[in-house]
Amino acid sequence: MSATIARPRSGARRHRRPLRWKATTIAVIFCVVWIFPTYWMVNTAFKPRSELMSPVPKFWPENPTVDNFVVAVTQTGFLRNLANSAIVVIIAVVCAILMGLLAAAALSVFRFRSRRSILVAILVIQMLPATSLLIPQFLIFNSVGLLGTYAGLILAYISLTLPFAIWVMRGFFVAIPAEVGEAAQIDGASSWQMLTRIYFPLVAPGVISTSVFAFITAWNDYLIAYTFMKDQAMYTLPVWLATFSTPTHGTDFGGQMAASVLFALPVVVFFMLVQRRLVSGITAGSVKG
Amino acid sequence: MNATSTLLPPDAQSRPAGDTRAPHTPPPTGRGPRRRRNLAPFALLAPGGILLALVTLAPIVFVVFISFTDFGQRSLFTGAFAGVGFDQYTALLGDPEFWYSVLRTIGFTVALVAGSVLIGMGISHLLTRLNTGMRLAVTIVLICAWAMPNVAASLVWTWLFQPGYGVMNWLLTQLHVFGDMTNTNWANDPVLAYTSIWMLVVWQAVPFIALTLNAAETQVPGEYIEAARLDGAGEFRIYRTVTLQHMKPTLFLVTILSVIWDFNIFNQIWLVSSGGPDGATSTLGVFMYTTAFVGFDIARGAAIAVVTTLMLLGLTAVYIRSLIRSGEEL
Amino acid sequence: MRFSKTGTLVAMAAASALLLTACSGTANGGAATGDTVVPKTDGKGKTITVWTMQDDYDAATIAAINAEFEKQTGAKVNIQEQQWNGITTKISTALATSTPPDVLDLGNTQVASFAENGGLLDLTPYKKDLQQGQTWVTGLEEPATVDGALYAVPSFAGSRAVLYNKKIWAAAGVTEAPTTYAELTAALDKVKAANTEADFSPLYFPGQNWQASLQWVWDAGGDIATVKNGTWSGALGSPEAQKGLEAWKDFQNTYSTPASQTLDVQSPAQVQVFADGKTSAIIATYGLISQVLKANPALTADDLGAFALPGISGKPQPVLIGGSDWGIPTKTTNKDLALQWTKIAASPTIQKDFVFGSNGWIPNSTELASEIGATLDPTRKAFFDATQISRATPAAARWADLEGDKSINNLFTSIASGAKSAKDAAAAFDQATEKTLNKK
């Protein structure tokens, strides 16, 4: 590229320098564009009602207020619905990960005849559109009295996350060199010992990143919870948010954005904390060091 | 995007093309312990397998069954319904609305996948060109978009594009390119509705794609790039012939996964445009939901579910074949 | 008032005496005659769930019904306020479960489809007792009756009138409420001229407010659909209806904001737009007055005025009679308690003091309506006057589908925004009407 424009420097730098400037500029533009929706959500959440609806948008709250948050938390079922989400999602994810871990081990460490067909079946299930399972699950769960209960939603979320958890965690098992298992076998360890002592610790990072993704899937679900839970006290946060309305102001944008912040915040913070692990988890086995 | 299944099997990524070495050789088993060990995998599979059989496989069988009946709102309240053979399917396949919906779904999926994969590739490449600080900034921005629950993101979107007070409408008006957009209702015009939902989905899909591709891109051996550079190849040429070649398997898998997720987009469409105006954004998922849960033509909805699933099976077959080709051992 | 407090007590005492002799009160005996008495049960330790609709009843009304119910039965009530958006789905899925809500607040256009499909309990046996000596308003009783059987208990009727901010109008030089269409547009023109803020509108009229928009169609002599030998045909393509739609578009586009052409009354809430002074008038139900006053404490009831919409025809515009009923799901597990709650909610005391007194709705009986008619203040009178000429949506079981899938909202938004001509939009809607209403 335009190496000649750059001031003479040491060889390696000469062709890098101008590229960096260009890249940095693009990156800054990208950041501004990509962060804008998030910024606008937060900005709106802190605006008093009088500043919300102005023909010329205000890019900074002139009189920042936390009223919208107070209203969202105290005048709606936020805490109750937060608890519902937490209970349902955590139990579902723990179950899915435990079952998934065992199944993934079975499908990677061991060889058996029907292995291949089971793997294909799991892949196929993972591809099913969630909406197509909604109809039969609704009818079946209704006939056995699971609608409107935590148990029903937990089961639905396990079915939503398990195939994917098995598939992904299997990848982590497969990445473990075969010699590891062989060594254990020579020591005369039983299958179970081999798994618990050798394999499980090795796939632990993979389990964590898989859990995060399973958590996000279930945490994000709106359709199943909306269809299954008729009682407002049993709503999960996405349903709470989608039907957000306060007794005094109805659906006002400030309250809605404050509610969105409350809902998104834990997930964003969580992602930030495990960010490194996530990316390295995704790419485990391919990133050196 | 369904942030969900955003994981690739790690071993399937960024393995250089042509490396078909099996990643794992099973432990050789002796005659004695084999019998015992042959039962172990089934014991391990049992909990997950039984659960999936009950909450996933049984419902699949059931939805096929329902699609051959006239199950409707009345059946919901009284439990009474009757078999109608293939009537639901003939009616469905003869309904132009269904075919429009299929076309819409395919077209929109292509637009979404192309948009998110291309931008994702760009950002992935961009990340390799940045210093640590800037890379961190981009990563944080990506994570903000990625981690935002899509229900929240959809509400933010409707507010960004709110007629009268939406900031995007105001900004676009200030550009003086599109005329006065202040009062435009994006959800009320087919093209604009697709545009805004496209932006929403791509906004959330790019982070996963960019970060995954970047992980693969950093694995491209530096020597190859240096060698190409010494040969006098331009940056674009290097990217195309060296980097892209090495990233091919990952890129392919990311694309296939995007196709599958984007095919199934529901929340964003439902919460932004509810499939409107006049069904213009009613993709298969939305069409299925409105048929079964708004019109309460549940059996017809089941038939749509079956047909959609069959279509996705085709895609899945491509996915599985690509996995095998990339060296994944099934 | 025909039912004094003591009268009610006497009736209650008599009812409990009956109950004592009748052992358990599952009573189904009087089905044919319709004079089975609503059983009295001891509901101690039980809770019934009641779904109410957003903007239908204020907290005081619900509290009064619940207090009376708890006093009578000892049972508790779990009130869940539902949003209109997606309500058909919500109710249908809830009615399908084995533990549905025990009492539902239903729009009277919704009753038919749920009843016809077996979702609602047949209340015919209890009709006489539920009427409590009153004569229900025919316009309410009819939609609640399917094939001669009663499936819901009428609760109130409501209509829309123009609610305006007297201060803004006075500042623009308008001091009298208009009585003709010409006076109305002249007044709005003056208000428009006096207020030039970009997002101010003289009369905020969201395009999706189809209930109010239909008034122009009816005023011009048009109709939504007509039925002949059981077959529905769309009627919006008629010259009269077209004239009405064009006049409506003209009115909406002239006096409301461009942004409102495609919006609904909820986002942004028209109450808030009005309370914030971004518009000088809205077309609303009486119940919204209290919400406006709550949203902007600086406003007082005296600042607000109301009048029935005058029509181009020279008569007041025909209004859509919105009605609300109480229905009981077939699968309720607390049938007797649900009946008792409904009976209290429909009782003359509650109707007079709360449904009318607090919410400003037109009560469910002709006796109460005429009694109240004499005592109205001017604001309330406007809402009652508006019902002089009233119309209803097509009496077809499937009508609710056209509300549920928003076809009717789309009709008006596409006309208001100019996305379609009145002719094309009407043709599309007529087609949807025929397809939906004639579906078996």
Side-chain angles (χ1 to χ4, degrees):
Chain A
M1 299 219 75
S2 48
T4 44
I5 300 170
R7 270 172 289 167
R9 289 264 176 123
S10 67
R13 284 208 168 177
R14 202 190 299 152
H15 61 255
R16 291 234 163 164
R17 188 82 196 189
L19 273 177
R20 276 226 174 132
W21 273 114
K22 216 159 110 186
T24 307
T25 316
I26 296 173
V28 168
I29 294 170
F30 172 81
C31 286
V32 170
V33 171
W34 233 250
I35 203 69
F36 189 82
T38 314
Y39 147 72
W40 198 252
M41 169 179 82
V42 177
N43 177 25
T44 308
F46 284 102
K47 281 182 189 173
R49 263 182 356 115
S50 56
E51 290 178 31
L52 276 176
M53 292 203 271
S54 74
V56 177
K58 295 189 189 330
F59 285 83
W60 204 249
E62 280 159 20
N63 306 292
T65 167
V66 290
D67 280 2
N68 292 324
F69 292 95
V70 174
V71 168
V73 171
T74 57
Q75 294 196 9
T76 69
F78 173 73
L79 293 173
R80 181 72 214 247
N81 297 151
L82 173 70
N84 291 343
S85 267
I87 292 169
V88 170
V89 172
I90 290 172
I91 295 179
V93 169
V94 168
C95 291
I97 291 296
L98 284 180
M99 291 184 207
L101 185 66
L102 298 181
L107 292 166
S108 55
V109 178
F110 302 91
R111 315 245 109 195
F112 48 96
R113 281 252 303 282
S114 42
R115 203 181 68 112
R116 185 181 268 254
S117 25
I118 292 178
L119 271 175
V120 172
I122 289 171
L123 258 184
V124 169
I125 292 174
Q126 196 203 316
M127 301 304 159
L128 285 180
T131 33
S132 61
L133 274 179
L134 189 68
I135 298 171
Q137 277 186 347
F138 174 81
L139 297 174
I140 293 175
F141 284 20
N142 185 24
S143 63
V144 294
L146 280 172
L147 285 191
T149 64
Y150 286 149
L153 207 51
I154 290 170
L155 283 176
Y157 286 169
I158 296 179
S159 83
L160 190 67
T161 51
L162 180 55
F164 145 80
I166 295 176
W167 184 248
V168 174
M169 285 194 288
R170 181 184 165 271
F172 293 101
F173 278 103
V174 172
I176 299 170
E179 300 78 42
V180 175
E182 282 160 22
Q185 206 154 38
I186 292 162
D187 291 348
S190 70
S191 305
W192 183 245
Q193 285 169 330
M194 183 175 78
L195 286 178
T196 50
R197 293 202 191 145
I198 311 211
Y199 279 94
F200 289 169
L202 283 174
V203 295
V207 170
I208 291 172
S209 54
T210 312
S211 314
V212 172
F213 283 97
F215 178 85
I216 296 305
T217 310
W219 185 258
N220 263 337
D221 166 75
Y222 158 74
L223 193 56
I224 301 176
Y226 177 73
T227 315
F228 282 18
M229 306 311 233
K230 61 175 182 292
D231 193 332
Q232 280 154 357
M234 295 297 279
Y235 279 179
T236 56
L237 276 188
V239 185
W240 167 79
L241 184 60
T243 57
F244 184 83
S245 122
T246 60
T248 39
H249 299 145
T251 356
D252 71 313
F253 299 112
Q256 221 173 40
M257 289 303 110
S260 298
V261 171
L262 287 174
F263 178 40
L265 199 65
V267 191
V268 175
V269 169
F270 189 44
F271 259 60
M272 293 288 179
L273 292 178
V274 297
Q275 181 254 117
R276 209 159 276 225
R277 180 139 266 161
L278 269 187
V279 179
S280 68
I282 296 168
T283 54
S286 59
V287 179
K288 285 165 208 143
Chain B
M1 179 182 85
N2 197 348
T4 69
S5 337
T6 31
L7 271 186
L8 285 179
D11 58 334
Q13 301 177 44
S14 44
R15 183 178 299 125
D19 178 0
T20 51
R21 168 183 57 99
H24 180 77
T25 324
T29 46
R31 187 145 180 72
R34 193 208 263 162
R35 186 162 291 279
R36 191 195 62 194
R37 198 161 288 144
N38 269 349
L39 283 176
F42 295 105
L44 292 170
L45 275 173
I50 292 171
L51 194 116
L52 280 183
L54 287 178
V55 295
T56 307
L57 292 178
I60 292 172
V61 174
F62 190 61
V63 80
V64 174
F65 166 70
I66 287 290
S67 70
F68 290 103
T69 68
D70 64 352
F71 205 101
Q73 197 180 36
R74 166 172 283 275
S75 328
L76 214 49
F77 302 155
T78 63
F81 60 93
V84 295
F86 282 91
D87 284 7
Q88 298 293 356
Y89 289 94
T90 26
L92 181 67
L93 301 180
D95 181 1
E97 259 314 296
F98 170 72
W99 293 108
Y100 287 139
S101 182
V102 171
L103 288 180
R104 261 176 225 140
T105 311
I106 294 173
F108 196 42
T109 304
V110 169
L112 286 171
V113 173
S116 41
V117 171
L118 285 177
I119 297 177
M121 282 167 73
I123 300 307
S124 154
H125 193 57
L126 185 67
L127 281 169
T128 64
R129 301 272 151 159
L130 299 172
N131 59 26
T132 323
M134 213 46 222
R135 196 162 57 228
L136 185 68
V138 173
T139 311
I140 287 173
V141 166
L142 286 173
I143 285 175
C144 280
W146 188 11
M148 175 101 67
N150 57 37
V151 172
S154 304
L155 289 187
V156 172
W157 235 249
T158 49
W159 171 228
L160 285 172
F161 294 98
Q162 171 78 22
Y165 302 109
V167 64
M168 289 308 289
N169 292 5
W170 183 83
L171 285 172
L172 289 170
T173 305
Q174 301 310 304
L175 286 179
H176 295 290
V177 178
F178 307 101
D180 186 357
M181 300 274 292
T182 317
N183 298 306
T184 306
N185 187 341
W186 292 65
N188 203 50
D189 175 279
V191 176
L192 295 179
Y194 273 117
T195 311
S196 73
I197 298 168
W198 183 87
M199 288 192 275
L200 168 58
V201 176
V202 168
W203 180 64
Q204 295 208 274
V206 161
F208 163 73
I209 296 173
L211 293 174
T212 310
L213 287 180
N214 182 249
E217 197 168 345
T218 50
Q219 291 315 109
V220 177
E223 313 87 75
Y224 286 80
I225 296 178
E226 281 304 319
R229 193 165 281 144
L230 287 176
D231 287 346
E235 288 297 322
F236 182 69
R237 207 183 134 90
I238 295 175
Y239 182 74
R240 219 189 43 189
T241 55
V242 182
T243 316
L244 222 47
Q245 280 305 312
H246 278 85
M247 287 163 62
K248 226 179 184 173
T250 313
L251 190 60
F252 188 67
L253 290 175
V254 166
T255 309
I256 290 279
L257 285 178
S258 298
V259 170
I260 287 155
W261 297 327
D262 292 345
F263 194 89
N264 289 325
I265 291 289
F266 180 87
N267 285 3
Q268 293 92 327
I269 299 180
W270 187 247
L271 294 170
V272 171
S273 73
S274 305
D278 287 336
T281 53
S282 171
T283 56
L284 279 171
V286 175
F287 188 55
M288 187 192 318
Y289 181 79
T290 46
T291 306
F293 287 101
V294 179
F296 280 94
D297 222 337
I298 295 178
R300 182 72 56 81
I304 303 173
V306 171
V307 175
T308 312
T309 304
L310 289 177
M311 288 177 168
L312 271 172
L313 280 186
L315 277 178
T316 312
V318 177
Y319 177 47
I320 292 174
R321 241 187 40 203
S322 80
L323 282 183
I324 294 170
R325 210 186 282 153
S326 73
E328 176 71 13
E329 196 202 5
L330 277 178
Chain C
M1 186 158 87
R2 287 173 73 146
F3 260 55
S4 66
K5 200 102 190 178
T6 43
T8 322
L9 286 172
V10 171
M12 275 163 54
S16 18
L18 262 176
L19 178 67
L20 284 173
T21 51
C23 287
S24 76
T26 30
N28 252 337
T33 51
D35 53 8
T36 308
V37 173
V38 169
K40 300 257 168 195
T41 40
D42 180 18
K44 216 161 219 100
K46 286 189 179 170
T47 301
I48 66 164
T49 304
V50 177
W51 281 14
T52 60
M53 294 308 304
Q54 195 177 21
D55 296 343
D56 269 8
Y57 301 93
D58 59 17
T61 307
I62 296 297
I65 303 173
N66 289 350
E68 181 64 26
F69 175 74
E70 280 169 30
K71 201 172 81 190
Q72 286 186 16
T73 65
K76 297 247 169 292
V77 186
N78 172 13
I79 295 286
Q80 308 230 337
E81 194 183 86
Q82 305 290 332
Q83 297 187 341
W84 285 101
N85 198 6
I87 190 61
T88 324
T89 301
K90 197 84 207 155
I91 293 179
S92 298
T93 51
L95 288 185
T97 65
S98 52
T99 52
D102 301 297
V103 181
L104 287 169
D105 173 8
L106 296 164
N108 58 10
T109 54
Q110 293 176 305
V111 176
S113 70
F114 293 128
E116 212 161 64
N117 285 323
L120 294 177
L121 199 64
D122 183 353
L123 302 176
T124 321
Y126 309 99
K127 186 170 173 184
K128 209 165 170 193
D129 194 29
L130 289 168
Q131 280 182 310
Q132 301 166 67
Q134 309 273 303
T135 317
W136 282 334
V137 176
T138 325
L140 285 175
E141 192 181 337
E142 262 173 11
T145 309
V146 179
D147 295 336
L150 183 76
Y151 284 96
V153 177
S155 179
F156 67 76
S159 64
R160 289 167 182 76
V162 178
L163 185 63
Y164 70 105
N165 186 323
K166 284 183 181 165
K167 275 187 190 164
I168 302 181
W169 281 38
V174 187
T175 47
E176 288 288 308
T179 53
T180 66
Y181 198 74
E183 280 177 37
L184 170 66
T185 51
L188 292 173
D189 285 333
K190 277 190 190 168
V191 174
K192 195 178 179 181
N195 295 274
T196 50
E197 297 90 340
D199 58 341
F200 179 86
S201 60
L203 189 145
Y204 185 75
F205 197 156
Q208 290 193 44
N209 187 357
W210 58 269
Q211 294 94 336
S213 308
L214 278 174
Q215 297 187 189
W216 270 260
V217 175
W218 286 324
D219 182 50
D223 208 346
I224 311 168
T226 53
V227 65
K228 204 172 193 182
N229 303 328
T231 306
W232 288 93
S233 38
L236 287 176
S238 74
E240 295 85 10
Q242 284 294 311
K243 213 175 101 196
L245 288 172
E246 294 286 0
W248 172 77
K249 179 187 176 176
D250 193 41
F251 184 85
Q252 199 280 343
N253 287 357
T254 314
Y255 300 113
S256 190
T257 58
S260 69
Q261 288 168 1
T262 52
L263 291 174
D264 61 17
V265 294
Q266 285 303 332
S267 50
Q270 66 170 357
V271 172
Q272 193 182 325
V273 175
F274 183 65
D276 290 350
K278 288 183 185 296
T279 184
S280 75
I282 51 175
I283 302 175
T285 53
Y286 182 85
L288 287 197
I289 294 178
S290 61
Q291 291 189 30
V292 169
L293 298 178
K294 216 180 330 178
N296 183 356
L299 286 172
T300 67
D302 292 337
D303 295 331
L304 306 178
F307 57 89
L309 262 167
I312 300 172
S313 61
K315 284 181 276 196
Q317 286 192 357
V319 295
L320 173 68
I321 276 283
S324 192
D325 304 316
W326 296 109
I328 301 175
T330 319
K331 294 185 183 173
T332 173
T333 49
N334 297 305
K335 182 181 149 193
D336 292 350
L337 288 172
L339 277 165
Q340 288 176 71
W341 194 93
T342 308
K343 186 178 167 185
I344 295 167
S347 70
T349 326
I350 293 290
Q351 285 280 322
K352 186 172 180 208
D353 295 347
F354 293 96
V355 174
F356 164 73
S358 181
N359 293 281
W361 296 117
I362 299 161
N364 64 0
S365 75
T366 48
E367 289 88 346
L368 283 175
S370 55
E371 180 193 330
I372 284 158
T375 63
L376 292 170
D377 61 63
T379 309
R380 289 193 189 201
K381 195 162 180 309
F383 286 89
F384 276 63
D385 283 350
T387 58
Q388 282 170 356
I389 313 173
S390 65
R391 303 291 288 266
T393 51
R398 284 283 194 161
W399 167 258
D401 286 8
L402 292 171
E403 293 180 25
D405 69 10
K406 300 204 169 161
S407 303
I408 183 106
N409 304 47
N410 283 338
L411 164 73
F412 287 104
T413 56
S414 56
I415 295 176
S417 66
K420 283 186 191 163
S421 68
K423 206 173 146 215
D424 292 348
F429 184 76
D430 282 349
Q431 204 186 355
T433 305
E434 284 160 23
K435 193 175 155 194
T436 308
L437 299 191
N438 295 322
K439 196 152 60 178
K440 254 293 133 226

